[in-house]
Amino acid sequence: MRTATTVEGTGGEWREISDFVVEAEKLGLDMCWVAEAWGSDAPSPLGYLAARTDTIVLGSGIIQLATRSPVTIAQTAMTLAQLSNGRFRLGLGASGPQVIEGLHGVSFARPLRRMRETIEIVRQVMSGAKVSYRGSEFAIPLPDGQGRPMRVSLAPVEVPIYLATLSPKMLELTGEVADGWLGTSFVPEGAQDAYFTHLDTGLARSGRTRSDLDICQGAEVNIVPDESELPRVIGSRKLELAFSLAAMGTATTNFYNAAYSRQGWSEVAAEVHERWHSGDRAGAAALISDEMVLATTLIGTREMVRDRLSVWQSAGVNTVRLYPAGDTLAARLDNLAQGIELIDTLPSA
């Protein structure tokens, strides 16, 4: 399995984040994704990281649909591919109505259709062709306008496209048109029904198999010296998981909650959601069991984490995104180094 991580800026800590990525490259990390939620954008730091690194693959994890036009997304991808000497991967995601409508003031409607059309336009732009497109969401050039089809002045380039998707129809689209899947909320024991069945449907639609899609899955890695440390580490993670189940979306639309529900925790997910939105955040976190935390993370002793990584590998994960825990740069790098080392000890699939 390949190794990856994700970084995100929410304040003025980019110097430390970039130092982390530089050191991660020295450790042999294969990929680094830069997140874009409601903090920093992704492309700006990616350009900076391209200048500070030499071998690590860099990706947008993710650029949000509806925040930029498809042509702007393509221009960004082509520029970053040039700046990184071909090391860039374009990660796209629909995000959710809270961010898209609540922060950007753009309708979240029809994300599936917008995703498909965006990818078609992006690939047309990157091919070097004049851009001419008529869809239900986008029309280029503008109909009845004064413009004619144009091509961008950048050299054509092929940039692999990864999609961050959770819902069944979006997963089918990922299998059909993408080069990779940026997954989350992953429980390998429930992944076949929750994720892979839908990915495989899309792959079959385009005449491909699982081997044609990079399954890039992420989780927190926190390696403890012995099991006596587990209660403390697990306890600190429960509020974060409750936040995903209840607050990563709106009161009526939460793709993370739906994903966990499809993997065997529908009753808990529903109750966590209810308590959180009633104002009882502590009560919501208390509903999260130790089993849920350990099933969805890479927390434990070295032996426990290695065994868990083996399960991930058997489930079909190609690339592991490690989110190293730690209050300091040194602590995060230590967790990352141990995670990379454990993955390197696994037999080839």
Side-chain angles (χ1 to χ4, degrees):
M1 290 191 292
R2 290 179 295 274
T3 56
T5 194
T6 296
V7 298
E8 179 181 4
T10 57
E13 69 276 27
W14 275 111
R15 172 59 65 176
E16 181 173 305
I17 291 174
S18 61
D19 288 345
F20 169 80
V21 176
V22 169
E23 293 303 314
E25 182 179 63
K26 294 176 183 177
L27 291 172
L29 191 76
D30 297 308
M31 309 176 76
C32 177
W33 298 89
V34 177
E36 178 178 282
W38 50 90
S40 71
D41 74 316
S44 298
L46 280 164
Y48 182 70
L49 292 173
R52 291 204 64 193
T53 57
D54 298 304
T55 60
I56 196 169
V57 173
L58 300 169
S60 56
I62 45 93
I63 286 178
Q64 301 161 327
L65 294 187
T67 61
R68 303 163 178 86
S69 75
V71 173
T72 301
I73 291 173
Q75 289 174 300
T76 301
M78 297 169 81
T79 302
L80 288 168
Q82 289 181 340
L83 290 171
S84 64
N85 292 319
R87 291 183 287 134
F88 178 68
R89 305 292 181 265
L90 176 60
L92 296 172
S95 189
Q98 177 56 51
V99 172
I100 298 303
E101 297 185 352
L103 181 62
H104 293 283
V106 178
S107 173
F108 185 71
R110 302 177 301 280
L112 182 66
R113 171 53 58 183
R114 284 189 290 109
M115 178 71 84
R116 179 184 292 276
E117 293 191 11
T118 294
I119 293 169
E120 291 171 351
I121 294 168
V122 165
R123 285 185 167 144
Q124 186 179 135
V125 174
M126 292 193 298
S127 74
K130 289 186 177 181
V131 185
S132 180
Y133 190 88
R134 289 292 181 271
S136 62
E137 301 299 313
F138 301 102
I140 307 172
L142 188 68
D144 304 321
Q146 300 180 56
R148 297 180 179 179
M150 294 178 58
R151 60 171 58 88
V152 299
S153 60
L154 298 165
V157 62
E158 290 187 15
V159 176
I161 296 176
Y162 285 63
L163 299 186
T165 53
L166 286 171
S167 66
K169 289 299 182 182
M170 277 290 199
L171 288 164
E172 287 185 21
L173 180 67
T174 303
E176 181 182 353
V177 304
D179 300 291
W181 173 50
L182 295 173
T184 186
S185 308
F186 184 77
V187 183
E189 291 83 359
Q192 182 59 43
D193 290 340
Y195 299 120
F196 290 129
T197 294
H198 309 296
L199 289 170
D200 290 342
T201 296
L203 286 163
R205 192 179 295 152
S206 60
R208 303 192 301 166
T209 66
R210 194 88 61 80
S211 63
D212 297 306
L213 188 71
D214 182 16
I215 306 295
C216 183
Q217 186 55 239
E220 177 181 338
V221 58
N222 195 345
I223 298 172
V224 298
D226 57 70
E227 293 190 28
S228 66
E229 289 289 310
L230 284 177
R232 175 184 62 82
V233 175
I234 291 173
S236 66
R237 187 69 180 80
K238 290 183 178 181
L239 183 61
E240 297 175 20
L241 183 49
F243 178 85
S244 294
L245 291 171
M248 287 293 287
T250 65
T252 57
T253 304
N254 185 311
F255 300 113
Y256 299 91
N257 189 292
Y260 279 105
S261 296
R262 296 200 307 272
Q263 294 175 100
W265 284 308
S266 58
E267 292 184 6
V268 172
E271 191 168 353
V272 167
H273 188 271
E274 181 179 349
R275 288 203 183 185
W276 186 285
H277 284 279
S278 70
D280 183 11
R281 296 186 177 184
L287 293 170
I288 305 295
S289 66
D290 291 359
E291 177 193 5
M292 287 182 72
V293 173
L294 292 175
T296 58
T297 63
L298 297 169
I299 292 174
T301 64
R302 287 178 62 88
E303 293 76 15
M304 290 172 63
V305 172
R306 188 183 187 280
D307 289 345
R308 201 66 188 147
L309 285 166
S310 181
V311 174
W312 278 41
Q313 184 181 54
S314 297
V317 175
N318 308 119
T319 304
V320 181
R321 291 197 319 282
L322 301 166
Y323 306 146
D327 295 328
T328 65
L329 176 62
R332 291 193 294 276
L333 286 170
D334 180 63
N335 264 316
L336 181 66
Q338 291 191 70
I340 294 172
E341 180 185 349
L342 290 174
I343 291 170
D344 287 343
T345 66
L346 296 175
S348 300

